[in-house]
Amino acid sequence: MIIATDFAAIAPPLAVAAAGAISAALYGRKKQWLNAALAGMAGAALAVSLADMRMPAAAAAPLAVNTEAGRISDADRLAIPAASAITLSGDGVREAEWRDLPARPLQWKPAPADLLWLDFPRSISLGRIFTLSVRRSPAQAGWRLQLLAENKQVLADSGPSSSAQAAVQWLPPVVENMVLQARMLDAAGKTIAQGPVPLQVHEPVSLQIQGRFDAPSFDARTLNQLLSDGGAILDWNVTLGKAITRSETARAPLTAPNAMFVDAAYVEHLSPSARGSLLAQVGQGVPLVVLGGNAADVGVWQRDFGLMLHPQSPTTEKEDVRQFGALAMSPAGLNPAENAADPWSVLARDGKQQPWMWSRAVGKGRVVWLGVTDWHKHAISAPQSLALWWQSAMDRIALDSVRKTVWQLNDPMPVPGLRSEVCAQGVKAGVALTAAGDGMMALQTRADKADGVCAAFWPRKAGWIKFSAKGMEAPGAEYIYAANDWPAWQRALRHEATALYAARSAPAIKAAGWAAGGPTNGAAGGAASGTAAIAVNAPITGNAANAARAPGTAALADGGAEDAGVPAGRRLPAAPFAVLFALSMLALWYREQSAEKSPAREAQG
């Protein structure tokens, strides 16, 4: 027999039992033994009817659940909360199904299978490189990955690979929602797997850049051209001589500059008060990027910026060339040390692990020292590589424009009939979300989504589904996969989700000593002995890892099941004990009434 140990739960039955015991003792002092027995029986019966007493869970047998079809049947879903443990067969189910179920000890040994993981961005800005990575288990020699257009034209090919992972890259040419295809071929050219790869390409938010240069250079001119080609709004000023400047007025007001680019000469020529004003501007959150190629005054940088610069040794000029794939760039004549002292630190290193970018925080912003030069030499020979290099540099400097509202679609592979979710940043809870074909839903707060509001929905058919909500800058869209798309990827997602559920159940297994009689040394120990199991061959990565941050939470709009631990078994029915209490009290009342009419009988007890 198991009874709750919470004081608030056991206080009422304890008080009732105590009252019954005191009544029985008082009757016993008068040697009214039958009345004492009735009083004690009434107190015990009422205490049991009030207490949360349950039969031991060991009396229940583990529930056998078959997931060969990729789903849990309705009957099993209803039976799991009352089960002491789950004996699972098949590949398991997705996280959306496990989340609605309480934690139970899981016995599961996944069968060996070909698993597949796809990793790619669902949406990118125009001008960004799209990268698709595929990982297989197990790996095969000579396989290759191809990215196909909607008309089956090959857009990118990874070439033969002997490792478990391959990747392809492609530069989208237009703004649109597209469904590409990914295809995996074996060494003989036979298709192993093929399926859709949805991608949304949207207009980029224009960067707002200020540029101030006191020494004209081809590097600054090339940077200007790259930013202009990328649609940036530029406020550019270059000093060509003592009284000659070249200015480029911004085509639109710079309401929130993303960064200010300067050369070292511009900073060195400022007055001390002007440099202080510049640092104050940085402290407000505008990054200051210094092109260090023409630095000359070491004292200025040490005194006002806390940056120790060291001259490059002429004997190591060739060895110090910074290498970025096919691009080679010379280091600046004056650069910080490889292990820069606080408050400065290395922000980026090249392919040979040599530093080329340093930074320090200033208030809400930071100062960045760019310690390479001569990138203009690649503007003609390798323009695309140079643009990608500058794109990666700007990502490190954190120049992405901040959107006021953002859609978040975290489900790696939504399919019809399985719950998915859509989240939004920048709007308040309670805002109505409209989904094409699925009516209206309310965006609500989530315990594991502190920066957004979310709504759950059940897709009805494959294809694009569009969302809209009041306050969002633009409508959102998500691609719903068909039920037969990427079967190996679906198996991998089910393996990951089931492994997470087993890990979520492990504390319950240890706390309850496994009610079914198994070992209590955790899920890992159970897996070793063949009784409990966590999927050891399903790495927990990507979106499945995100789901592990708040296992068992159910703050979605549709609710869900919280972790309840191992069930304590069926609760004892209160009705029979309540009837026993009533009969005992009735018999005691009858005896009291009879005693008043016959004192001699009362004396006899």
Side-chain angles (χ1 to χ4, degrees):
M1 191 72 64
I2 300 174
I3 186 171
T5 57
D6 181 37
F7 179 76
I10 64 175
L14 284 178
V16 169
I22 293 172
S23 299
L26 293 175
Y27 279 116
R29 287 183 61 184
K30 298 179 181 180
K31 296 184 179 181
Q32 297 178 8
W33 307 116
L34 187 55
N35 288 358
L38 288 173
M41 185 183 303
L46 183 58
V48 172
S49 65
L50 294 177
D52 183 15
M53 302 187 69
R54 297 174 179 270
M55 295 295 292
L63 177 67
V65 177
N66 188 307
T67 59
E68 296 291 345
R71 303 293 292 270
I72 295 178
S73 66
D74 292 338
D76 288 340
R77 188 179 295 106
L78 295 174
I80 285 176
S84 63
I86 301 174
T87 301
L88 190 70
S89 59
D91 296 313
V93 295
R94 296 281 296 276
E95 189 270 340
E97 291 192 71
W98 284 128
R99 178 183 290 188
D100 288 336
L101 297 172
R104 294 292 177 265
L106 181 67
Q107 303 178 57
W108 177 55
K109 187 176 182 181
D114 289 336
L115 303 179
L116 197 65
W117 291 268
L118 276 70
D119 184 21
F120 59 92
R122 271 55 178 180
S123 64
I124 61 173
S125 299
L126 184 65
R128 292 278 183 169
I129 294 293
F130 171 74
T131 301
L132 168 66
S133 299
V134 173
R135 180 164 55 90
R136 300 183 58 199
S137 175
Q140 295 182 3
W143 73 286
R144 63 199 303 149
L145 170 65
Q146 291 181 338
L147 182 67
L148 309 179
E150 294 173 318
N151 61 0
K152 308 304 180 184
Q153 177 184 358
V154 177
L155 302 175
D157 192 316
S158 68
S161 174
S162 298
S163 66
Q165 188 164 345
V168 291
Q169 291 185 324
W170 177 61
L171 181 63
V174 294
V175 174
E176 67 174 345
N177 292 349
M178 57 187 75
V179 182
L180 307 174
Q181 290 279 321
R183 180 170 63 189
M184 275 141 279
L185 307 174
D186 61 14
K190 183 181 178 181
T191 300
I192 303 172
Q194 182 173 339
V197 176
L199 175 63
Q200 301 178 58
V201 184
H202 53 76
E203 290 283 0
V205 177
S206 297
L207 294 174
Q208 301 183 23
I209 304 295
Q210 290 179 317
R212 300 292 184 266
F213 303 92
D214 261 19
S217 68
F218 290 111
D219 280 349
R221 182 74 190 104
T222 301
L223 175 59
N224 178 286
Q225 188 63 47
L226 288 170
L227 292 171
S228 297
D229 293 343
I233 301 173
L234 301 179
D235 177 7
W236 210 260
N237 190 295
V238 181
T239 300
L240 303 178
K242 290 185 177 180
I244 304 175
T245 61
R246 185 183 70 83
S247 299
E248 182 178 336
T249 305
R251 68 177 186 272
L254 269 67
T255 55
N258 298 102
M260 182 176 183
F261 280 80
V262 300
D263 60 2
Y266 173 80
V267 178
E268 293 174 1
H269 295 163
L270 292 175
S271 64
S273 60
R275 282 195 290 271
S277 299
L278 183 63
L279 286 175
Q281 182 182 356
V282 174
Q284 296 300 315
V286 181
L288 177 67
V289 185
V290 182
L291 310 185
N294 54 18
D297 193 339
V298 176
V300 168
W301 298 102
Q302 182 178 353
R303 181 176 62 253
D304 294 345
F305 292 84
L307 180 61
M308 294 289 296
L309 296 179
H310 305 277
Q312 179 188 4
S313 172
T315 59
T316 61
E317 183 175 353
K318 291 184 178 180
E319 291 79 359
D320 279 350
V321 169
R322 303 299 188 260
Q323 199 71 38
F324 307 96
L327 304 181
M329 300 182 190
S330 304
L334 291 173
N335 265 339
E338 181 171 351
N339 298 316
D342 287 337
W344 287 83
S345 61
V346 175
L347 183 60
R349 297 179 182 271
D350 69 347
K352 298 183 294 183
Q353 295 304 306
Q354 297 184 99
W356 61 277
M357 192 188 298
W358 294 259
S359 73
R360 66 159 294 182
V362 178
K364 297 180 181 179
R366 60 175 170 173
V367 180
V368 177
W369 180 274
L370 198 66
V372 290
T373 62
D374 297 337
W375 58 74
H376 67 275
K377 296 179 179 179
H378 304 287
I380 297 176
S381 60
Q384 184 174 357
S385 298
L386 179 62
L388 292 176
W389 176 78
W390 260 111
Q391 186 181 93
S392 64
M394 290 185 174
D395 288 342
R396 294 177 183 273
I397 300 168
L399 294 183
D400 284 338
S401 293
V402 178
R403 294 177 180 265
K404 295 182 180 179
T405 59
V406 179
W407 293 102
Q408 291 182 327
L409 305 171
N410 300 317
D411 193 341
M413 191 180 185
V415 294
L418 185 65
R419 185 183 64 191
S420 186
E421 66 179 8
V422 55
C423 300
Q425 285 184 323
V427 296
K428 296 181 179 179
V431 172
L433 172 75
T434 302
D438 284 282
M440 298 182 65
M441 300 163 282
L443 291 167
Q444 298 183 356
T445 56
R446 280 273 306 273
D448 57 338
K449 300 287 184 184
D451 56 346
V453 289
C454 305
F457 72 100
W458 281 259
R460 298 181 182 180
K461 60 181 181 179
W464 289 103
I465 180 173
K466 294 184 178 181
F467 304 99
S468 61
K470 184 178 180 180
M472 296 298 291
E473 296 178 3
E478 183 171 39
Y479 183 79
I480 309 301
Y481 293 81
N484 57 350
D485 285 340
W486 295 114
W489 189 17
Q490 294 198 47
R491 279 197 301 271
L493 293 175
R494 291 197 291 267
H495 276 225
E496 286 184 344
T498 305
L500 288 174
Y501 177 80
R504 166 183 151 199
S505 306
I509 300 172
K510 184 178 292 186
W514 193 325
T520 60
N521 55 342
S529 61
T531 50
I534 289 179
V536 295
N537 66 334
I540 301 175
T541 58
N543 288 282
N546 294 335
R549 293 174 187 162
T553 56
L556 287 172
D558 54 74
E562 295 183 357
D563 287 350
V566 177
R570 185 174 59 87
R571 179 175 178 174
L572 289 179
F577 295 96
V579 171
L580 179 61
F581 164 75
L583 292 176
S584 299
M585 293 300 293
L586 185 61
L588 188 60
W589 174 82
Y590 176 77
R591 287 183 57 77
E592 290 281 358
Q593 294 296 318
S594 299
E596 292 180 0
K597 297 178 180 179
S598 178
R601 185 175 180 181
E602 178 185 7
Q604 295 175 0

